[in-house]
Amino acid sequence: MAKGEGAESGSAAGLLPTGILQAGERPAQKEPKKKQQLSICNKLCYAVGGAPYQVTGCALGFFLQIYLLDVAQVDPFPASIILFVGRAWDAFTDPLVGFCISKSSWTRLGRLMPWIIFSTPLAIIAYFLIWFVPDFPEVQPLWYLLFYCLFETLVTCFHVPYSALTMFISTEQSERDSATAYRMTVEVLGTVLGTAIQGQIVGQADTPCLQDTNGSAVASESANRTHSTTSLKDTQNAYLLAAGVIASIYVICAVILTLGVREQREPYETQQAEPMSFFRGLRLVMSHGPYIKLIAGFLFTSLAFMLVEGNFALFCTYTLGFRNEFQNLLLAIMLSATFTIPIWQWFLTRFGKKTAVYIGISSAVPFLILVALMESNLIITYVVAVAAGISVAAAFLLPWSMLPDVIDDFHLKQPHSHGTEPIFFSFYVFFTKFASGVSLGISTLSLDFAGYQTRGCSQPARVRFTLKMLVTMAPIVLILLGLLLFKLYPIDEEKRRQNKKALQALRDEASSSGCSDTDSTELASIL
């Protein structure tokens, strides 16, 4: 029943003579609207759409650097420029694409789906060309910078509308939360898949390292110089093969998403005028208190987990001494996260999202302390990896599950401001990538000051200590700061229920507005 509906019915009944009511001339009452439920097939099709971003991002994140240095043989300084500019451009494109989407009109396919459909083939081409080695060495840096930035732009044109699609697959909060849990499970599987495909196919691209006369380990540049042309060509072909497999997965997932999900428009939005300007919408979004508090909290927690992610390989290799166990430990983390996402979905439904944030994200702290205090032990490291995966699952799931609640709250406070969903999602992604850039900068500068030896098989004690701080103590401090900020987040379970009722009343009012003139005429004739 819509808000105020009972009072209105009672008032109308009071105006009618008793005899008319007894004669059966009662005013018609609205039947309660059935909940809009998504089938498991719909949720799976929606979830599969999250895999392309994770599979390609994982492959680029773990393997692009070694590919540029050892396979394409780009000098280290141009390679660092390519990686940094590509990451910075990636962050910048999110609000830019969000602006463009906010200016888009609704079509037969929706407002978001056309972006996903038309960006996919171009993104596949750009991704494949990233892993292609041109025959002209002097243009290689420009080649990789161009296609890296182009691919990041095109994948943003896929991922930002896909993220905003959460608000348009259902009007029910519970259904959106359930679909988000499916999505996070598939995305974590995507990271596992990207690591496994790229790692297995191009594993032979590893560069050997030798001990120099001073006892420190350096990469064997002579080994690179004596590689036969056939051997290097085989390695380049291996990267192209991996790119082809991942590109095929990208296309298949995009097709499943397009065919299996229908974008739905809010009933009350169809009565609105043209969407507001981007900058006015941005000003309203950035002045919405719950949104600022949510992204501030997740900015700190995301920075914590990205510090761990960015330095995990170096930490395992140099501090713990598990050079050959890195991929297995990463697999343990990702599989643990995959299996525990459904558990976190049940937990947040049963106990609330804020409680899930406190317990899920803080659960990593004791294990990070254990890693900081213990000596190198492979069994304990695997236990910590599995426990870290549980916390990673919460960090994956909760932001995307809480953002729709913030948008619902915004719609109630700004009922005439529609078309702002891409702004919410694109700026959250922007801040997440900003955190990634900050973590990359902090890590690189810290290791440089500590005396990191490029391509070394071992590192000085100061570097090992710095890596331990970057993977343990710094993330702990950031997690605690993020949890303190979450105390200020105002949308608890009671507030969510109130918003849900108010939004349902707004939708019912919009749905029945087309019949209001007829209903008024019938009531007047009865009176």
Side-chain angles (χ1 to χ4, degrees):
M1 181 179 288
K3 187 177 180 181
E5 184 180 328
E8 293 172 2
S9 300
S11 300
L15 293 173
L16 298 176
T18 308
I20 295 178
L21 293 175
Q22 290 176 347
E25 300 278 348
R26 296 179 183 269
Q29 294 193 6
K30 299 175 187 176
E31 295 182 1
K33 196 173 182 178
K34 293 183 179 180
K35 285 189 176 182
Q36 183 185 36
Q37 293 188 345
L38 297 172
S39 66
I40 294 179
C41 181
N42 290 140
K43 294 175 184 178
L44 286 174
C45 291
Y46 167 72
V48 165
Y53 181 78
Q54 297 299 334
V55 174
T56 56
C58 186
L60 289 169
F62 283 111
F63 294 96
L64 183 58
Q65 184 178 34
I66 191 172
Y67 167 79
L68 291 175
L69 294 174
D70 296 341
V71 180
Q73 297 182 344
V74 178
D75 291 335
F77 180 73
S80 65
I81 296 297
I82 293 169
L83 295 171
F84 175 76
V85 173
R87 190 76 63 92
W89 177 255
D90 186 23
F92 173 75
T93 55
D94 289 291
L96 180 63
V97 171
F99 167 76
C100 295
I101 294 174
S102 69
K103 306 298 288 185
S104 301
S105 302
W106 279 85
T107 67
R108 259 189 331 109
L109 299 173
R111 189 174 61 181
L112 304 175
M113 277 298 185
W115 288 83
I116 295 173
I117 294 170
F118 293 113
S119 67
T120 295
L122 298 175
I124 292 305
I125 296 172
Y127 180 78
F128 190 80
L129 291 176
I130 290 175
W131 304 103
F132 176 77
V133 180
D135 293 331
F136 306 100
E138 61 275 7
V139 303
Q140 282 185 356
L142 183 60
W143 173 281
Y144 292 116
L145 179 62
L146 172 64
F147 286 107
Y148 187 28
C149 291
L150 180 60
F151 172 74
E152 294 295 351
T153 303
L154 292 168
V155 80
T156 299
C157 291
F158 182 101
H159 191 249
V160 168
Y162 171 74
S163 300
L165 190 61
T166 308
M167 298 300 300
F168 297 97
I169 57 175
S170 176
T171 58
E172 289 293 326
Q173 287 181 348
S174 58
E175 292 299 302
R176 294 195 304 241
D177 289 344
S178 177
T180 300
Y182 278 80
R183 170 192 167 186
M184 292 302 108
T185 302
V186 172
E187 288 195 356
V188 174
L189 284 172
T191 62
V192 177
L193 193 61
T195 304
I197 291 173
Q198 196 84 2
Q200 293 299 319
I201 295 178
V202 306
Q204 68 269 31
D206 290 340
T207 303
C209 57
L210 300 174
Q211 295 286 339
D212 65 7
T213 55
N214 295 324
S216 62
V218 294
S220 176
E221 296 183 7
S222 61
N224 285 336
R225 287 194 298 266
T226 56
H227 270 173
S228 66
T229 304
T230 303
S231 177
L232 184 58
K233 195 67 178 177
D234 289 343
T235 304
Q236 294 171 356
N237 290 335
Y239 273 95
L240 287 177
L241 176 60
V245 174
I246 290 177
S248 301
I249 294 173
Y250 194 119
V251 172
I252 292 171
C253 293
V255 170
I256 293 174
L257 172 67
T258 304
L259 298 180
V261 176
R262 188 171 69 89
E263 187 178 347
Q264 302 176 18
R265 197 171 187 178
E266 285 280 12
Y268 62 81
E269 188 177 317
T270 59
Q271 300 177 357
Q272 304 291 336
E274 290 297 315
M276 69 174 63
S277 68
F278 174 81
F279 294 104
R280 181 166 178 263
L282 178 60
R283 185 169 63 252
L284 290 174
V285 167
M286 289 304 172
S287 63
H288 189 55
Y291 181 64
I292 297 300
K293 292 166 185 174
L294 182 70
I295 62 174
F298 278 119
L299 183 64
F300 281 97
T301 56
S302 297
L303 181 56
F305 285 104
M306 287 176 184
L307 276 175
V308 176
E309 176 189 356
N311 296 282
F312 185 75
L314 297 175
F315 178 72
C316 290
T317 300
Y318 298 121
T319 303
L320 298 180
F322 302 140
R323 174 178 294 274
N324 298 323
E325 294 291 333
F326 159 63
Q327 291 187 356
N328 295 331
L329 288 167
L330 180 64
L331 187 62
I333 292 174
M334 293 295 104
L335 288 177
S336 172
T338 302
F339 291 131
T340 52
I341 279 181
I343 298 175
W344 283 119
Q345 172 62 22
W346 168 84
F347 187 93
L348 67 87
T349 304
R350 178 69 176 81
F351 299 101
K353 297 180 183 181
K354 288 188 72 172
T355 303
V357 166
Y358 293 135
I359 295 178
I361 295 180
S362 64
S363 63
V365 173
F367 296 98
L368 292 175
I369 294 174
L370 178 62
V371 170
L373 298 178
M374 75 175 186
E375 296 294 330
S376 178
N377 186 299
L378 184 58
I379 296 177
I380 295 179
T381 304
Y382 270 103
V383 172
V384 171
V386 173
I390 297 174
S391 191
V392 166
F396 255 82
L397 174 64
L398 290 168
W400 299 109
S401 180
M402 297 170 78
L403 264 177
D405 300 335
V406 172
I407 297 174
D408 284 345
D409 186 72
F410 176 82
H411 283 160
L412 286 175
K413 293 178 180 177
Q414 303 287 343
H416 300 291
S417 304
H418 65 283
T420 56
E421 292 85 1
I423 300 177
F424 278 98
F425 284 96
S426 63
F427 271 87
Y428 172 73
V429 176
F430 168 79
F431 285 118
T432 302
K433 292 177 180 177
F434 171 78
S436 174
V438 170
S439 68
L440 179 64
I442 291 175
S443 302
T444 304
L445 288 176
S446 301
L447 294 174
D448 186 42
F449 290 145
Y452 179 80
Q453 297 177 358
T454 305
R455 297 182 179 180
C457 290
S458 65
Q459 297 291 340
R462 288 179 59 190
V463 173
R464 297 197 297 269
F465 176 79
T466 301
L467 285 169
K468 179 173 284 191
M469 293 299 101
L470 288 172
V471 172
T472 57
M473 298 311 298
I476 289 173
V477 173
L478 291 169
I479 286 174
L480 294 178
L481 288 174
L483 293 178
L484 285 176
L485 288 173
F486 278 120
K487 291 287 290 182
L488 305 175
Y489 179 67
I491 302 179
D492 54 14
E493 293 307 298
E494 180 61 28
K495 180 69 172 175
R496 286 181 66 235
R497 284 191 288 269
Q498 293 174 1
N499 287 350
K500 181 179 178 180
K501 291 179 181 178
L503 279 173
Q504 190 59 51
L506 188 62
R507 294 179 182 118
D508 290 344
E509 180 182 354
S511 299
S512 62
S513 61
C515 305
S516 59
D517 293 340
T518 304
D519 293 341
S520 299
T521 303
E522 291 177 354
L523 181 59
S525 64
I526 294 174
L527 289 171

